C-alpha cells in the first residue's frame, strides 16, 4: 500500500487503519509492529504517531472501524428482507462476505479476545460481540412474534449458536485459505441452523 504524501488527518487515520487490516490478513496481529505499519504505508514512524499517539490507540481505532463497518453492513442486509428468518440468512451471508473481503478483521478480533488482561481494544471487541448478540436476539424475537420461529426457542442460545457457526466457518476459511467455497458451506450450515429454529405445525405461538 502506498499512501500519498498529502492527506488530511482523517484520511491519514483511515489509511492507517486500512494498512493494519491489510497486514493482519497475512500476519499474526500480535506481531505487527508500528515499524511494519509505517513501512507498509511508506511513512516514518514519527508520521504514524502524529495521528495515533500509541499502538494501543491505533488498535482501538481498528476495532471501532471493524465494529461500525460490520454492524452497518449486517443491519442493512437485514433491513432489505421482510421475513425475520430471511433477514437472519442475509446477515449470515453478509457477515461471511465481509470476512472474505477483510480477512484481517477476524484475525484482529480473535487476537484481541485472546489477549490476557484488559485493554480498550479488547473491550471494543467484546462490545462488538455484545452488539451483534443483541441484534440477533432481536431478530429471533421478531421471528417468534411472526410465527416463523418456534416460541420455545431460547433467543440467547440461538444468537450464540449463530455466532458460533459463523466463527467456525471463518476459522476454516482462515486455516485453509479457501474463501471461494465459503458460500456453499454457509448455505448448508444456515439450512441446518434454520431447521432448528422453525416453528412446528401446531406449536404454541
Amino acid at each position: 500500500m502506498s499512501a500519498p504524501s498529502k492527506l488530511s488527518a482523517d484520511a491519514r487515520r483511515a489509511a492507517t487503519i486500512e494498512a493494519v487490516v491489510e497486514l493482519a490478513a497475512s500476519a499474526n496481529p500480535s506481531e505487527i509492529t508500528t515499524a511494519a505499519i509505517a513501512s507498509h504505508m511508506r511513512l516514518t514512524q514519527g508520521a504514524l504517531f502524529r495521528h495515533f499517539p500509541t499502538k494501543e490507540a491505533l488498535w482501538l481505532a481498528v476495532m471501532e472501524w471493524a465494529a461500525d463497518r460490520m454492524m452497518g453492513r449486517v443491519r442493512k442486509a437485514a433491513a432489505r428482507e421482510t421475513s425475520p428468518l430471511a433477514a437472519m440468512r442475509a446477515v449470515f451471508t453478509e457477515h461471511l462476505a465481509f470476512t472474505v473481503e477483510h480477512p484481517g478483521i477476524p484475525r484482529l478480533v480473535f487476537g484481541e479476545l485472546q489477549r490476557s488482561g484488559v485493554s480498550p481494544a479488547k473491550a471494543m471487541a467484546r462490545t462488538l460481540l455484545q452488539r451483534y448478540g443483541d441484534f440477533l436476539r432481536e431478530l429471533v424475537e421478531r421471528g417468534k412474534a411472526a410465527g416463523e420461529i418456534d416460541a420455545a426457542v431460547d433467543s440467547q442460545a440461538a444468537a450464540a449458536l449463530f455466532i458460533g457457526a459463523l466463527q467456525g466457518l471463518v476459522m476454516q476459511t482462515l486455516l485453509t485459505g479457501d474463501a471461494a467455497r465459503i458460500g456453499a458451506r454457509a448455505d448448508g450450515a444456515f439450512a441446518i441452523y434454520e431447521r432448528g429454529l422453525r416453528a412446528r405445525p401446531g406449536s404454541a405461538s
Side-chain angles (χ1 to χ4, degrees):
M1 173 182 172
S2 175
S5 58
K6 293 183 179 179
L7 289 174
S8 68
D10 287 345
R12 180 71 73 194
R13 286 173 59 87
T16 306
I17 291 169
E18 178 184 336
V20 174
V21 173
E22 289 176 359
L23 287 168
S26 57
N28 184 337
S30 67
E31 297 175 357
I32 298 174
T33 63
T34 52
I37 299 166
S39 175
H40 188 69
M41 297 180 69
R42 300 182 183 179
L43 294 174
T44 65
Q45 288 192 67
L48 189 68
F49 285 124
R50 280 200 293 271
H51 302 285
F52 295 97
T54 64
K55 183 179 178 182
E56 192 60 64
L58 171 54
W59 250 237
L60 174 59
V62 172
M63 287 297 110
E64 290 173 340
W65 180 91
D68 289 344
R69 288 296 181 91
M70 179 173 286
M71 291 306 303
R73 283 183 55 163
V74 299
R75 285 185 181 278
K76 285 181 180 178
R80 289 192 290 266
E81 306 294 338
T82 56
S83 155
L85 270 176
M88 293 183 76
R89 178 181 287 275
V91 168
F92 199 86
T93 302
E94 189 65 27
H95 182 126
L96 291 174
F98 181 84
T99 297
V100 170
E101 293 170 26
H102 305 288
I105 293 299
R107 289 176 179 270
L108 287 159
V109 172
F110 290 151
E112 285 303 316
L113 292 174
Q114 291 172 355
R115 284 178 59 181
S116 61
V118 179
S119 71
K122 183 175 182 177
M124 189 66 236
R126 286 177 171 171
T127 297
L128 169 58
L129 288 178
Q130 181 65 49
R131 288 171 59 190
Y132 207 151
D134 290 345
F135 175 55
L136 291 171
R137 285 190 288 275
E138 290 173 9
L139 288 177
V140 172
E141 290 301 321
R142 281 173 47 195
K144 290 161 73 171
E148 285 190 336
I149 295 176
D150 195 298
V153 166
D154 182 322
S155 60
Q156 184 167 346
L161 186 58
F162 185 104
I163 293 172
L166 281 170
Q167 289 175 334
L169 288 168
V170 169
M171 288 301 296
Q172 288 178 42
T173 301
L174 292 177
L175 289 170
T176 64
D178 187 10
R181 296 183 60 188
I182 196 169
R185 295 193 188 104
D187 288 343
F190 190 84
I192 294 170
Y193 175 79
E194 184 178 9
R195 283 198 293 272
L197 294 184
R198 277 199 174 277
R200 275 61 170 175
S203 63
S205 60

